[in-house]
Amino acid sequence: MTKIAPTPEEPPKKAAERILSTASDLFYREGARAVGVDEIVARAGATKPSLYRAFESKDQLIAAYLQGQAEGFWGYFHASVDRHPDDPRAGLMAFFEDLGARAAKPGYRGCGLTNAAVEYPDRKHPGRKVAVDHKAELRDRLRGMTKAMGARKPKKLADSLLLLIEGVYVTSQLFGDDGPAGAAKGAAEALIEAHTREGAKEAP
C-alpha cells in the first residue's frame, strides 16, 4: 500500500508576511477596530495559529502594521526633502507639494498612524505607542529643519507645520480632492515666510 506523504507546513515567515500584508491593507482601508482576526486569516489564506505564532495578539499585529506605516512615511518624506539636501525650506515645500498630490488620489485614507491614535485612546495600547513615538520623531525632525532655516521661533513654526500635515490627513478624508488639503503648501510657505523674513516682527 502506497503511503501518502504529509503536506509540508508553510514556512512561518512566509505565512507571517502574508498575514501582515493582508492585515495592513484591511486596517488602512477599513480601520483596525473594524477588522477581525477571522477576516484577516481568511483573506490571507492562513490560520489563526499562524497569526498568533507570529504576532501573539491582534494588538501586536496592529503595532507591526503601524511600524510599516511609519517606515512608509519616512520613505515619502525623504524622497521629497532629499531633493534639496542643503535647503530645508525647499525640502519642506517639496514635501507639502507631494503630500497634496498623494492626498488627492482615490482611496487615500490619510495617515494610518493618526487614524490609529484616534481609534485607540489607551496610551498603553502597543499600536498607539508606535503612533505617538512616530509623531514625536516627526516633530523633532521638523524642529531641526525650522532651526536650520533660521526661524526666529523654530519650535513654534515646527508645531504649526505639524498641524498643517495632520490637517491634510483628516480633511482629505472629509472633502476629497477638492478640500482644504490643497491649500496646505501655500499655508506652509506663508508660515515659513512669516517666521524667517528679515526685518519682520517676531511671529506670535
Side-chain angles (χ1 to χ4, degrees):
M1 182 176 179
T2 304
K3 292 184 178 180
I4 300 175
T7 302
E9 288 190 15
E10 181 178 33
K13 183 178 180 180
K14 186 175 181 181
E17 290 173 350
R18 195 166 65 252
I19 288 167
L20 179 57
S21 176
T22 301
S24 296
D25 179 62
L26 290 169
F27 288 162
Y28 184 74
R29 288 191 292 106
E30 301 178 21
R33 279 193 182 277
V35 179
V37 168
D38 288 336
E39 183 177 3
I40 293 169
V41 296
R43 294 202 182 196
T47 63
K48 281 186 179 180
S50 294
L51 186 152
Y52 291 123
R53 277 196 299 268
F55 301 101
E56 296 185 7
S57 67
K58 181 186 173 183
D59 286 347
Q60 292 298 331
L61 177 58
I62 292 168
Y65 149 68
L66 292 173
Q67 287 286 3
Q69 287 282 297
E71 291 169 6
F73 170 84
W74 289 117
Y76 287 131
F77 187 85
H78 287 294
S80 300
V81 303
D82 288 355
R83 298 203 298 269
H84 306 278
D86 300 318
D87 189 341
R89 178 171 181 165
L92 281 173
M93 288 300 94
F95 169 73
F96 273 98
E97 182 174 1
D98 295 341
L99 176 60
R102 284 197 301 278
K105 291 182 179 179
Y108 186 73
R109 283 268 292 129
C111 174
L113 294 125
T114 297
N115 296 344
V118 174
E119 283 191 281
Y120 296 96
D122 182 0
R123 293 187 176 275
K124 294 181 180 180
H125 189 281
R128 184 181 177 88
K129 289 181 179 179
V130 173
V132 170
D133 288 347
H134 168 74
K135 298 299 181 179
E137 184 179 357
L138 173 58
R139 191 184 191 196
D140 287 343
R141 180 63 185 271
L142 291 173
R143 286 178 172 182
M145 295 179 77
T146 54
K147 184 177 181 180
M149 68 177 68
R152 285 178 292 279
K153 290 189 175 182
K155 291 182 179 180
K156 183 167 286 189
L157 174 56
D159 282 350
S160 298
L161 295 172
L162 184 56
L163 283 172
L164 279 178
I165 293 169
E166 294 298 321
V168 171
Y169 293 149
V170 176
T171 59
S172 61
Q173 298 184 63
L174 293 172
F175 300 98
D177 60 4
D178 191 36
K185 181 185 176 184
E189 193 168 18
L191 280 168
I192 291 172
E193 175 63 20
H195 279 263
T196 59
R197 186 170 60 246
E198 292 184 9
K201 291 183 179 179
E202 193 171 78

